[in-house]
């Protein structure tokens, strides 16, 4: 049994201490965003009380302190995902910006007519739209790997879709709708053999499982602080040094230059070349505190804890004949995200009614409309777990579902 004790952990999260609509809060919308422990809130507050300045801009004490904080955060992220060099860590706004940066800087410059870009059909829109633009502009072909009946990408599909014309493969490690963990190790290995570069969207994986970018040998990897106990407005792009060094800047302006002439400019080395303008230092401070919090508990323990919650929840949900699970119903290679539909009740109605009982879930297309079309459903309801969730939250949710049915006049 993991040593993680969610009852104790809940006490670190002030937001969980309040009642929502008069009820105990069962927060089950962690794929959208996670809550912040007091340690993160205080780290941000302390920074603002003691060390706030514009990094790299001046020689005064506060600017120096802010620079130090920003550098420490970068070093923390480097260690967290085991990057080889600190300068391979670029701070962005979020996963969306990380993916756009690669598409515009790498895609627009290294993709040619007739090349192939391969995605999974389960991608979030932020990993589809930038590639649609690159494909249109460059006359490249955008292809999708489809899922089998158990929401998985088969080896056959990987080998059929990835060819020697494939120049980019971009795929989420964990689907934000289905909870499927895609076989990225296999995709990276095969993709490299075919000569492609591989981008992994780690928005839903990094917060929940250990990730080692060197071990994976992934070329680019993006994620968001706000899905791992950190603040909104700061994201991460990891890229292999030799790739980043050969890419042109994405945004241009202050702090990313070496020298500016009237008609030309030369650029700063990485990571600064990709960090134009004043950066989100308090976000970086919060991210560092969030990583320290996660490391204290251990990503392995968090992953095991969520596996136990998924097993518990799936067992209860599968016993209710009116629930349809959208996603893998076994425990192999899946994370703490469960999408479902309820016979004859719209997902938005489910979410709104559950909210009146203090249960926070998400409903909709989850920014994955191509997946919804593929599954031939307009929307799902979704629960998603994190380290502070416990079986009590799941019991509250299951009781809530029974109440939703009653609202619509169905028996239990
Ligand atoms: N990629 C995946 C796999 C995601 O789940 C999300 C956000 C993003 C990218 C974009 O992250 P952002 O921080 O740039 O917004 N997913 C969700 C979700 O499932 N519900 O709300 C946001």
């Amino acid at each position: 049994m993991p040593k993680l004790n969610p009852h104790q952990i809940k006490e670190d999260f002030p937001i969980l201490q309040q009642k929502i609509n008069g009820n105990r809060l069962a927060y089950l919308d962690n794929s959208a965003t996670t809550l912040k422990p007091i340690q993160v809130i205080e780290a941000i507050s302390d920074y603002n009380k003691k060390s706030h300045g514009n990094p790299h801009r001046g020689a005064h004490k506060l600017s120096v302190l802010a620079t130090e904080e920003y550098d420490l955060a970068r070093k923390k992220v480097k260690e967290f995902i085991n990057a080889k060099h600190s300068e391979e860590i670029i701070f962005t706004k979020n996963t969306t910006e990380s993916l756009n940066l690669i598409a515009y800087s790498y895609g627009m410059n290294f993709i040619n007519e007739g090349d192939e870009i391969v995605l999974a059909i389960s991608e979030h829109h932020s990993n589809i739209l930038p590639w649609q633009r690159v494909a249109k502009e460059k006359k490249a072909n955008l292809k999708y790997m489809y899922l089998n009946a158990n929401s998985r990408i088969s080896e056959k599909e990987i080998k059929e879709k990835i060819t020697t014309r494939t120049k980019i493969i971009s795929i989420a490690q964990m689907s934000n709708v289905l909870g499927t963990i895609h076989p990225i190790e296999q995709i990276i290995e095969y993709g490299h053999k075919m000569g492609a570069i591989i981008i992994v969207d780690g928005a839903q994986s990094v917060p929940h499982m250990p990730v080692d970018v060197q071990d994976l040998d992934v070329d680019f990897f993006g994620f968001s602080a706000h899905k791992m106990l950190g603040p909104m407005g700061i994201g991460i792009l990891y890229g292999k040094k030799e790739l980043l060094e050969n890419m042109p800047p994405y945004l241009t302006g202050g702090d990313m230059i070496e020298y500016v002439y009237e008609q030309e400019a030369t650029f700063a080395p990485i990571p600064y070349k990709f960090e134009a303008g004043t950066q989100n230092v308090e976000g970086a401070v919060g991210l560092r505190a969030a990583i320290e919090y996660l490391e204290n508990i251990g990503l392995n323990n968090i992953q095991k804890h969520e596996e136990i919650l998924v097993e518990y929840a799936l067992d209860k949900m599968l016993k209710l004949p009116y629930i349809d699970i959208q996603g893998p119903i076994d425990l192999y290679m899946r994370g703490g995200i469960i999408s479902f539909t309820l016979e004859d009740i719209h997902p938005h109605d489910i979410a709104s009614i559950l909210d009146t009982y203090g249960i926070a879930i998400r409903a909709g297309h989850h920014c994955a409309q191509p997946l919804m079309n593929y599954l031939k459903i307009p929307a799902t309801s979704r629960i998603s777990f994190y380290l502070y969730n416990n079986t009590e939250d799941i019991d509250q949710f299951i009781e809530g579902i029974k109440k939703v049915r009653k609202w619509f006049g169905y028996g239990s």
Side-chain angles (χ1 to χ4, degrees):
M1 262 313 260
K3 60 180 177 206
L4 191 153
N5 179 350
H7 290 286
Q8 218 170 350
I9 287 173
K10 274 186 195 286
E11 286 168 22
D12 285 339
F13 290 77
I15 211 165
L16 289 174
Q17 311 312 318
Q18 62 177 338
K19 298 237 183 255
I20 295 284
N21 297 322
N23 290 284
R24 170 190 184 275
L25 169 61
Y27 186 78
L28 297 170
D29 194 17
N30 293 288
S31 292
T33 198
T34 54
L35 309 176
K36 291 181 194 65
I38 191 69
Q39 291 84 341
V40 169
I41 296 168
E42 280 178 355
I44 298 169
S45 169
D46 280 353
Y47 163 78
N48 280 307
K49 284 180 196 157
K50 295 176 199 154
S51 319
H52 177 67
N54 203 327
H56 312 132
R57 296 279 160 117
H60 66 78
K61 182 74 179 168
L62 289 178
S63 173
V64 172
L65 288 176
T67 308
E68 279 170 12
E69 289 288 353
Y70 204 54
D71 291 346
L72 279 174
R74 197 187 307 278
K75 191 161 168 278
K76 189 82 208 161
V77 174
K78 171 212 176 260
E79 287 159 4
F80 183 58
I81 58 169
N82 193 32
K84 202 167 178 182
H85 311 283
S86 275
E87 60 266 34
E88 293 179 318
I89 307 299
I90 293 156
F91 286 122
T92 61
K93 271 209 311 278
N94 44 38
T95 309
T96 304
E97 191 179 68
S98 300
L99 294 166
N100 273 274
L101 192 162
I102 314 165
Y104 291 107
S105 177
Y106 187 91
M108 287 299 191
N109 289 287
F110 297 98
I111 292 295
N112 297 306
E113 188 169 344
D115 287 347
E116 293 173 354
I117 300 167
V118 177
L119 314 176
I121 193 64
S122 47
E123 293 315 302
H124 187 278
H125 292 164
S126 64
N127 197 22
I128 296 177
L129 273 72
W131 302 116
Q132 287 182 347
R133 220 168 189 182
V134 173
K136 278 202 185 104
E137 184 101 2
K138 294 287 162 184
K139 298 191 172 61
N141 297 320
L142 191 55
K143 289 168 52 175
Y144 290 90
M145 293 185 280
Y146 295 104
L147 310 178
N148 65 20
N150 200 19
S151 308
R152 302 248 157 67
I153 299 173
S154 69
E155 194 176 337
K156 185 164 168 277
E157 184 69 3
I158 294 170
K159 295 200 166 156
E160 249 171 52
K161 294 293 162 66
I162 300 170
T163 72
T164 50
R165 307 194 77 154
T166 307
K167 292 292 175 297
I168 287 178
I169 303 162
S170 194
I171 182 167
Q173 190 166 12
M174 192 190 302
S175 157
N176 68 314
V177 180
L178 307 167
T180 309
I181 298 174
H182 290 308
I184 60 161
E185 293 83 355
Q186 211 180 331
I187 290 168
I188 291 168
E189 199 188 332
Y190 192 69
H192 279 159
K193 226 184 259 173
M194 294 290 125
I197 66 130
I198 294 94
I199 301 149
V200 171
D201 169 353
Q204 300 293 348
S205 60
V206 162
H208 304 276
M209 60 202 271
V211 166
D212 180 327
V213 290
Q214 287 192 72
D215 202 35
L216 284 171
D217 194 25
V218 63
D219 298 298
F220 295 103
F221 193 91
F223 53 107
S224 298
H226 73 93
K227 292 187 196 288
M228 48 188 285
L229 310 181
M232 289 183 174
I234 185 150
I236 298 93
L237 171 64
Y238 158 82
K240 281 184 184 162
K241 193 167 179 242
E242 55 277 19
L243 289 170
L244 290 172
E245 279 174 342
N246 284 318
M247 286 158 54
Y250 168 54
L251 296 176
T252 52
D255 244 18
M256 51 73 69
I257 54 96
E258 185 182 61
Y259 205 87
V260 181
Y261 307 90
E262 277 194 26
Q263 308 291 334
E264 294 292 332
T266 53
F267 305 121
I270 60 164
Y272 310 110
K273 181 171 73 173
F274 293 107
E275 292 180 356
T278 298
Q279 297 296 297
N280 182 358
V281 183
E282 65 183 89
V285 168
L287 169 61
R288 178 173 157 229
I291 294 175
E292 276 167 4
Y293 189 94
L294 293 172
E295 283 179 340
N296 255 340
I297 290 165
L299 268 292
N300 274 317
N301 291 329
I302 294 169
Q303 188 176 20
K304 271 186 226 137
H305 172 70
E306 290 182 30
E307 277 168 12
I308 291 167
L309 292 183
V310 170
E311 187 171 8
Y312 184 85
L314 276 180
D315 183 54
K316 296 228 155 187
M317 291 169 84
L318 288 167
K319 284 189 180 126
L320 303 177
Y322 42 81
I323 287 190
D324 258 336
I325 307 284
Q326 307 292 335
I329 53 166
D330 53 44
L331 300 172
Y332 173 72
M333 295 278 279
R334 66 133 42 251
I337 297 171
I338 305 176
S339 264
F340 63 96
T341 46
L342 218 55
E343 229 171 64
D344 298 330
I345 305 178
H346 195 279
H348 282 124
D349 290 335
I350 300 171
S352 302
I353 297 169
L354 288 180
D355 180 52
T356 66
Y357 298 111
I359 304 153
I361 73 160
R362 186 174 171 187
H365 54 62
H366 312 287
C367 301
Q369 281 177 334
L371 174 66
M372 294 292 140
N373 285 333
Y374 179 70
L375 297 174
K376 297 190 175 64
I377 44 174
T380 73
S381 300
R382 178 190 72 183
I383 55 173
S384 49
F385 306 128
Y386 211 11
L387 68 172
Y388 37 68
N389 288 120
N390 56 16
T391 51
E392 214 177 311
D393 295 326
I394 296 169
D395 291 342
Q396 192 175 334
F397 160 71
I398 294 287
E399 285 315 304
I401 288 290
K402 290 177 183 166
K403 288 176 194 157
V404 171
R405 293 255 307 163
K406 278 200 191 128
W407 271 55
F408 283 88
Y410 297 106
S412 53

